[in-house]
Structure formats: structure tokens, C-alpha cells
Amino acid sequence: MGKPVLSRVAGGAFLDRRAQLDKLCRAATGPGPRTVLVLGPPQSGKTELLRTTFDLLFGRAHLALPVCFQPHREQLSPEKLARSFLFTLIQQYLAFIRRQPELIAATELTTGSLYSLLSGDEDNALRALLDGYEMRLGSGNQEGLLRYVFDAPLRLAAQTPHRLVLMFDDAQLLNQVCTGGQTFPLLNEKLQEPPAISLVITGLQRALLDQLSFGRELLSELWFDWLEPLDLPTLQALLDQWCAQAGVSLDHETGRLAIQQLDGNLLYLRALVTAAAERQAGLGGVIEFERLYVNELLRGRIAHHFSTLLRRIARETAISPRGERAATEIVSLCYEAIESRAPVEEAGQRLGRSFHTDRLLTELHHHELITLLDDHILPAEDPVFRDWLSATQQRFAGVPVSRITLDLLSRRIKAAPQTLVRSELRSLQSRLIDLLARFDRQSIARSLVVQDEFLARYGSASYSQIFTGLSQETERIALPQIIYAAETPLPAAGNAGTPQPQPPWSCIIAYGFDEAICDNDHETIWMIALNSSPAAITESCVAALDEYSGKFGESCEAGRSAPRVVRWAISRMGFTAEAVIALRERGFLTSDYLQLDLLAETLDSAPRAERATAISVEIRRPETRHDFDLAIPLGEDREIIAARVAEQMARSAGFAPEELNQLKTALIEACLSLSAIGPTPDGRLYQRFHADHERVTISVASSAAALNQPGGVLLENDPEGVWRMNVLRSLVDEVTLTRLVGGFRVTLTKRKSAGRS
């Protein structure tokens, strides 16, 4: 990537978001216009993602013409917003067409200065836009002015060979423009337009999801891009880069502490680095970092960020014009939410004299300063905001600042060791979840999950000798096919007043199926307990772990047929001999970090375990090796199973990768449509697969009988709006939809492209 145009990341090294960047570029330059909604928590890098995508597209001038716009609250009057958007559009359009990125940085432009930039005949379309803007500006029709200006990209798209890509940051603000005393849903109107240009939208995720009303057709075309939090190595690299640029010394362990304590929030991390540079202070130790953190939280950039945000929310939601002074009530509300789940009705009774309560709570919810759930107010998950709330509440209560500073500094320094432990567990959890995602019926050496056997076999062996020995072990364990894994809290065990034993455990749950047979008999749940203690786990910790995981197992089995539960304890430094015996008696597998690393190294080369069926369940009446029926449970994303069957068959028949994806997508779409109609007679969907050297044919029906039922009514289109025939026909060569007694049957046929054998 060349010199940044909008991006603020040095050297174009963007936060390990390559997958998201590729997705946005594909959406912008694909065969048809596309709308992408980018969602993620506050301060997770959504703005920088848009800016970097802009730079990538700007540098690849033959692909698409990007325009990036971020409205500001002070520009939400119709006239100011229209002017800002139109000037941004013309600036960035000219910069792209003329290959002059410096035009984008021009500020304080006037209509006259814009006219002066438009010199040639090729600028006639832009001059016409400015003329139309000037004519409508004094008409008094605010909605007409906004519609004209925000329709300008469509007019330009008709004048240029380039695909226009319109990017909106803080897009939720576009639905907050007032015209004639009423809110004008400008963003929603843009989304309802014919797809002549590509759109990329981001902002406050809760606000966007609340505001956007998706019609059925729009929902089918919209791409969602969920921005997951950055992982620890990426955050560490970013923090190293920032500190190097600012001349701030950084200790590696202090960096891990900062990332964990600030919950990886990019705004807070950058504020701390900037403050350290200002004070010529380093981040070379825990005490240095915590002093800086407390100062920033009480009187620095972080304090300013929270106080400014809450004052603005108070000002905009207060009943009285002087309601900003009542921001103390908002602090108290957010603080009390930490202690209890306050009912919304109770908050309304308390705040009703000062605020429009619904507007206030919604605004706090959108900024994730509280969470509204089931008519209750839950606290923010942001640990920094919680610290600020606690300190601010004490100041309102009259506690001296010196006492608040001392208490917070003392508490944070004492908590640092446990914060570092959580950081290490977080890193291990991420590694383990990635590892579990690779579990796909491999057969592994039993000693990898039985620590005493591993030590007996390889206690003094070299790394290469261990690898050789693992491949030669005859006692092996068949791994399941894992389809979902995530970190989850362990429930409380024993008496409520009993403290959790140290060192602490964290837990990951992994859900899947043995032998890749997706039915109740082969369902399995792996519960993995992790511990990063620097010493071997002793027998005294085993009983508590057994009680914790036992209660968790009970919650997993509640209300459902019991799956096979596998419990696996992993400790950084392993277990004492007595602990291993105690864990084995309780049915635990046991591993240390070395065994986990070896498992990760050997997993891809491990042989597949023997299994009874190809991929799924209930194979019946096979006519040839290319012809069989399949039944899957209704819902629960089981259509993915059928898609994998279709993929395997089509791949073995020689279909191209693009054709494979089209066939899989069509099958998933058909399963979802049939599921949307209602429950089937036995709660299952039935498929029949046939493949030969020319085509793959798949029938999907609501019952086994419907696969063979003759007659029925052929439907060219679906009058009930459930089957999206246009989507199916765009993916496969033939679609036959039949209405039968008690259900539907749809048959999809995909032919192999010419030239493939």
C-alpha cells in the first residue's frame, strides 16, 4: 500500500484486519453493487477500517472510486449536513479522477473555490451538481435539499466508468437530522434506493441495528461484517509501534498489563501512550503504568472523554435547558447498575423530572455505557468506565481527590498480578479455541491428553524423539468434529460464601459430534478447564474443579437429551502425581502446555479416525455411490451439514470451486426457506443427492414421503414470499418448486461448466 490518504496507521500496517479489508474490497469491486454493514464494539477500529479501505481503493484506480464521509453532531442541521457531504463528495471525486490526493486535505472550501477547481469540460457534471445545490439552498425545502445532495453519487455514477463506493462512518447520525421539527431517516432512505452504487456503513452498532429497518429484499443482499476484538499479539504489536513512534519505553509485561486492564480499547491505549510521551514517562513497570492510568482516569484524556460524552447525553435528553447540570444523576444511574439490575420503570420514576427517560436510556445503551435487557438496566462491561464511575461517584460524595487517587492507585497495583494472570489465560483461550476449531475426527496419541502416561513415556526425551514416539503410539483417541467453541464462566459451586480456590480456573466449552454423525447418540460436549499457575496443580484444587465443572455439566444437559461430556484439565505447569490420580478418578483428561503445543503441531498430519458414515446421518436406499438420501434436524444451523455433503459430492465429480460455493449457497437457502414455512411432521428436513459426470441434483422436502410423492402443483414463483426463486435461479441452472399435500419439494440442478471433465 502506498502513502496514506485517509488512513492514520503508519506505513499502511493495518491492525491485522486483512480478512475484513479483503471483504470490503470484494464488496466494492464485485460483479454487482453491494451494501456492507460493519459492526463492532466502540473503539475497535471500525473508522480506521473504512479509512484504510478507502486508501486501498484509491490506490487501485482501475477498480472503484471511493468516497468516505463522516457526519458530525454539530453539522446535523439540513443545510450544514448537505454542504459538508456535497463538498466532501466533490473533493474526493476530483482527487481520484485527477490522481491528486492532496485535494482531499483542503479545508475551509467555499462554493466559489470549488467552482474554481472545475475548469474542464470533464467537470460539467460536478458544476451541474453545484448549480442544483445553490438553487435549492434558499428554497426552504430542507428534505428536498438533503435528497438532492445525497442522490448526487447516483448522478455521478452515471457519468463515470468507475464503480462508486460510498462509505459512511458514524452513520447512525444520518437518521438524526431534523427537518420541519421531525426526524428525517436519511440513512434508511439511502438503503432503500436501487443498488446503483456500493455502500459501506459503520458507526455505533447498537444504534444502527435499532435504527435500520431491513426489508426482506434488502436483508437478502446486505453483507454483515462483525469486527471481533483484536487478539493479544496484534495489540502488543500495535502498542509497540505507538510507543516507538512517541519515544516511550515499553516493558513487554507492562504492555500485556495495559492491554488486559484497558480491555484492548484502542482509544484508551492511545491516550496512555500520548500521556506518557507528554510527561516524558516510560511504561517500563507496573507502578509507572498505574500512576499514569490513574492520572488519565481522574484528570486526563480518558476523564475528558467520559465527562464530555455524559454531558452531551445529558444536554440532549434533558427536559430543562439547564439539564446538563443533572449529569450527576446519569453517573449515579450507571454506577448503581454495577450493583443491581435496576428495572427501567424504577429509573423512569426517579429520572422523569429531569430527563426524557426513554431517550436517555437508549442513548446510554447505544454508547454501551449500560445495557438494556428485559426491561432492566445492566452495567457497562468496560472496566475503565467502571473505574471512572467509581471515582466520580466518590467525588460527588465529597471524598477528597487525594484519597480517591490513593485508593484507586493502591487497588490497581494490588490487582496487577491477577490482571496479568487473566491476560495469559486470555491468550491461552484464544490459542485453544483456534485449536479446537481444527478438531475434525483426527486420531491422536492418547498420551497427549493423559499427563502421567506422557511423562512416563517422554520424561527425558528430546522434542524430535517425542514427535516420533507420538506417531508410533498404538493407543489413540478419536477427536470429535467440533462445530462451536467459546470461553464461558464457570458457575459458583459450594456455599455462596466460600471463596474461589487459588489459582483460578477458566473454562472453554466445545460442542460437536463424534464420527461426524449429527444425531443425539453422537452429540458431545468438551469442557476444558485452563489454569496458568506457575506451579503444578495439587490435589487440593481438584475437588473444587470437579464441583465447578460438574455444575456446568448439569446446566449443559438441562432440558435436553444428555450428550457425551468430556472433561479436560489443562495446566501451564502440569499436575502433581496425586492430582493426576484424583483427576483420572473423576474422569478428566489432563495436559500441560507442552502437550498442548505438541497436539497443535501434530493435528494437521494426524490420520482421520474411523467413522461409520461419510458426513452425516440416516443414509438410506443407496442406488449408487453417488445417490443417497439424508435427514437432518430442523434448524440449529444443521443445513451446513447438508452443504458439506453437496460440496464433497460436487468436488469428487470435478466441479469448479466457484460452482461448489454456488451449489452450497443454494442448498442452504432452500433449507432455510423450507424451515421458515413451519415445523415439518417429524422435525426434520429430507434431502436426496445425485451426482454424475455432468451434474449434481439435490431435492429438499419436508418429509421422506415427499421426496418420492408424484404429482403436486409446480410453482413458477412463490405467492407467499417464502421461496426466493430469483436467488436460487442465480445460483443453479434449474429450480423446480412443487407444492405437495402438507409441504413443498424443491429440486436444484447444477451442471458442470464446459471444459471440465
Side-chain angles (χ1 to χ4, degrees):
M1 190 169 125
K3 184 178 179 180
V5 181
L6 291 185
S7 172
R8 293 171 294 193
V9 176
F14 183 66
L15 310 187
D16 195 28
R17 299 291 196 192
R18 292 297 167 189
Q20 285 81 11
L21 287 170
D22 290 344
K23 182 175 183 178
L24 293 185
C25 288
R26 282 190 291 111
T29 60
R34 174 72 63 185
T35 299
V36 184
L37 180 61
V38 181
L39 300 173
Q43 312 303 331
S44 58
K46 301 187 294 294
T47 294
E48 191 57 42
L49 179 66
L50 258 62
R51 288 172 172 267
T52 305
T53 303
F54 178 95
D55 286 5
L56 286 171
L57 295 174
F58 194 93
R60 303 170 186 175
H62 62 289
L63 294 178
L65 195 162
V67 175
C68 188
F69 178 68
Q70 183 177 18
H72 299 284
R73 289 187 175 273
E74 62 273 14
Q75 297 175 339
L76 289 188
S77 68
E79 293 81 5
K80 289 182 178 180
L81 181 63
R83 181 185 188 279
S84 177
F85 177 73
L86 183 64
F87 282 26
T88 299
L89 173 66
I90 293 176
Q91 277 182 273
Q92 295 184 8
Y93 184 92
L94 284 174
F96 180 89
I97 295 298
R98 298 179 181 178
R99 311 310 302 157
Q100 295 177 334
E102 63 273 10
L103 289 176
I104 295 175
T107 58
E108 302 300 326
L109 287 174
T110 64
T111 307
S113 61
L114 275 184
Y115 271 120
S116 67
L117 290 174
L118 307 177
S119 55
D121 292 339
E122 68 276 9
D123 298 330
N124 287 338
L126 297 176
R127 275 194 293 271
L129 284 177
L130 273 176
D131 291 342
Y133 164 74
E134 287 286 296
M135 182 178 66
R136 288 166 175 79
L137 188 59
S139 68
N141 184 349
Q142 295 179 331
E143 288 190 14
L145 175 66
L146 286 172
R147 285 196 175 96
Y148 173 81
V149 167
F150 278 83
D151 283 345
L154 295 175
R155 295 184 177 89
L156 288 180
Q159 304 293 324
T160 176
H162 301 284
R163 164 82 62 76
L164 250 70
V165 183
L166 187 55
M167 305 178 187
F168 287 123
D169 194 8
D170 277 334
Q172 76 281 350
L173 295 178
L174 296 178
N175 276 344
Q176 299 177 23
V177 186
C178 286
T179 60
Q182 293 185 334
T183 302
F184 180 50
L186 182 58
L187 178 61
N188 287 44
E189 285 206 355
K190 290 297 297 178
L191 289 172
Q192 299 301 327
E193 292 175 351
I197 62 176
S198 292
L199 289 173
V200 181
I201 301 164
T202 192
L204 292 177
Q205 61 176 352
R206 291 180 176 180
L208 286 173
L209 291 174
D210 282 351
Q211 290 176 4
L212 298 183
S213 53
F214 301 125
R216 185 177 180 85
E217 291 304 317
L218 175 62
L219 188 59
S220 68
E221 297 297 328
L222 189 70
W223 281 13
F224 286 89
D225 193 7
W226 298 91
L227 221 56
E228 298 294 336
L230 292 168
D231 59 25
L232 182 60
T234 302
L235 286 168
Q236 286 177 317
L238 184 63
L239 189 58
D240 288 342
Q241 181 189 91
W242 285 345
C243 287
Q245 292 168 354
V248 174
S249 62
L250 175 67
D251 173 74
H252 179 74
E253 187 170 85
T254 306
R256 282 203 306 115
L257 173 65
I259 291 167
Q260 180 67 32
Q261 185 169 314
L262 305 181
D263 201 28
N265 186 294
L266 302 180
L267 173 67
Y268 306 153
L269 287 168
R270 191 59 188 253
L272 264 292
V273 172
T274 304
E278 283 178 350
R279 294 171 174 80
Q280 296 184 329
L283 297 174
V286 171
I287 294 177
E288 286 178 294
F289 165 72
E290 296 297 358
R291 281 175 178 162
L292 192 65
Y293 171 74
V294 170
N295 190 73
E296 280 297 295
L297 191 76
L298 296 182
R299 58 186 67 88
R301 287 172 178 80
I302 296 176
H304 177 72
H305 167 71
F306 288 135
S307 60
T308 301
L309 178 58
L310 288 186
R311 284 196 187 100
R312 179 189 61 76
I313 293 173
R315 184 171 59 252
E316 294 178 355
T317 60
I319 294 174
S320 167
R322 301 171 65 86
E324 181 180 344
R325 297 184 178 181
T328 54
E329 295 187 49
I330 303 180
V331 173
S332 298
L333 173 73
C334 295
Y335 179 74
E336 290 167 5
I338 299 174
E339 304 297 328
S340 64
R341 296 180 66 222
V344 170
E345 182 180 1
E346 181 179 304
Q349 293 171 354
R350 172 178 147 194
L351 299 172
R353 295 180 180 178
S354 303
F355 295 98
H356 300 284
T357 306
D358 289 343
R359 285 171 52 191
L360 169 63
L361 296 180
T362 298
E363 192 74 9
L364 293 172
H365 174 78
H366 285 167
H367 284 276
E368 302 192 24
L369 302 178
I370 61 170
T371 294
L372 297 178
L373 181 64
D374 193 24
D375 293 326
H376 284 75
I377 302 170
L378 305 185
E381 296 180 0
D382 183 344
V384 178
F385 182 55
R386 289 183 175 219
D387 276 349
W388 182 83
L389 281 175
S390 177
T392 305
Q393 187 75 351
Q394 289 182 68
R395 291 185 68 179
F396 291 162
V399 178
V401 174
S402 58
R403 176 64 182 274
I404 297 172
T405 302
L406 178 59
D407 288 349
L408 180 58
L409 183 60
S410 173
R411 178 163 55 86
R412 291 274 31 126
I413 291 175
K414 291 175 183 177
Q418 287 304 310
T419 304
L420 285 168
V421 168
R422 289 196 301 273
S423 174
E424 186 169 350
L425 278 174
R426 176 183 173 187
S427 180
L428 178 60
Q429 288 164 356
S430 177
R431 286 176 50 210
L432 187 55
I433 288 172
D434 290 342
L435 180 64
L436 290 165
R438 294 162 54 196
F439 278 25
D440 192 14
R441 311 183 303 281
Q442 298 95 333
S443 170
I444 64 168
R446 170 185 160 90
S447 66
L448 286 173
V449 290
V450 184
Q451 197 199 24
D452 54 342
E453 292 185 10
F454 181 84
L455 293 175
R457 287 175 179 269
Y458 307 113
S460 59
S462 66
Y463 209 68
S464 60
Q465 290 173 328
I466 296 175
F467 266 112
T468 302
L470 291 172
S471 65
Q472 295 174 350
E473 282 189 35
T474 56
E475 288 192 74
R476 307 189 71 80
I477 287 180
L479 298 177
Q481 183 183 45
I482 294 298
I483 63 175
Y484 177 76
E487 188 271 338
T488 187
L490 283 168
N495 298 325
T498 303
Q500 179 175 331
Q502 297 294 327
W505 295 89
S506 69
C507 181
I508 287 175
I509 181 171
Y511 174 78
F513 296 92
D514 292 325
E515 301 180 17
I517 301 178
C518 301
D519 60 12
N520 289 337
D521 293 335
H522 293 82
E523 186 178 16
T524 184
I525 291 177
W526 282 46
M527 289 185 294
I528 304 105
L530 305 174
N531 199 296
S532 59
S533 171
I537 297 302
T538 62
E539 185 180 6
S540 62
C541 294
V542 172
L545 174 61
D546 185 38
E547 188 174 359
Y548 278 113
S549 60
K551 286 186 174 293
F552 188 76
E554 292 171 6
S555 66
C556 288
E557 297 170 12
R560 59 192 294 175
S561 56
R564 185 175 76 94
V565 176
V566 176
R567 299 193 293 177
W568 184 13
I570 300 174
S571 168
R572 175 183 180 182
M573 300 303 294
F575 308 86
T576 64
E578 295 78 12
V580 169
I581 294 172
L583 286 165
R584 178 179 290 182
E585 289 174 349
R586 291 165 169 82
F588 279 86
L589 303 176
T590 49
S591 301
D592 59 20
Y593 280 19
L594 173 59
Q595 289 166 279
L596 203 61
D597 288 339
L598 289 165
L599 174 58
E601 290 285 337
T602 60
L603 196 59
D604 288 338
S605 60
R608 289 287 178 88
E610 293 296 323
R611 50 192 173 90
T613 62
I615 188 68
S616 193
V617 297
E618 295 192 30
I619 306 297
R620 55 165 77 94
R621 297 187 306 279
E623 298 173 7
T624 72
R625 69 186 182 93
H626 298 296
D627 232 356
F628 63 89
D629 292 357
L630 169 70
I632 61 172
L634 192 67
E636 300 180 8
D637 294 330
R638 302 295 177 83
E639 63 274 3
I640 302 299
I641 301 166
R644 291 192 61 181
V645 175
E647 179 184 21
Q648 288 185 349
M649 292 185 66
R651 178 176 285 115
S652 65
F655 278 64
E658 182 179 2
E659 295 168 327
L660 295 177
N661 290 332
Q662 291 171 341
L663 185 63
K664 288 165 55 182
T665 303
L667 178 55
I668 292 172
E669 172 68 25
C671 291
L672 291 174
S673 296
L674 193 54
S675 300
I677 294 172
T680 60
D682 61 357
R684 300 187 181 194
L685 294 179
Y686 290 80
Q687 296 94 34
R688 175 164 294 162
F689 295 78
H690 170 79
D692 56 35
H693 66 283
E694 293 181 350
R695 65 178 62 85
V696 170
T697 301
I698 307 171
S699 295
V700 186
S702 50
S703 67
L707 287 173
N708 303 301
Q709 187 176 337
V713 179
L714 292 177
L715 300 177
E716 187 66 23
N717 292 295
D718 176 22
E720 298 176 5
V722 174
W723 296 89
R724 298 190 301 165
M725 301 296 287
N726 58 329
V727 175
L728 293 175
R729 288 176 180 136
S730 70
L731 296 167
V732 297
D733 297 297
E734 294 178 12
V735 182
T736 303
L737 178 62
T738 307
R739 185 193 294 274
L740 303 164
V741 177
F744 289 85
R745 177 179 66 238
V746 62
T747 301
L748 312 171
T749 300
K750 183 73 174 176
R751 296 188 183 89
K752 194 188 308 180
S753 60
R756 295 187 68 91
S757 58

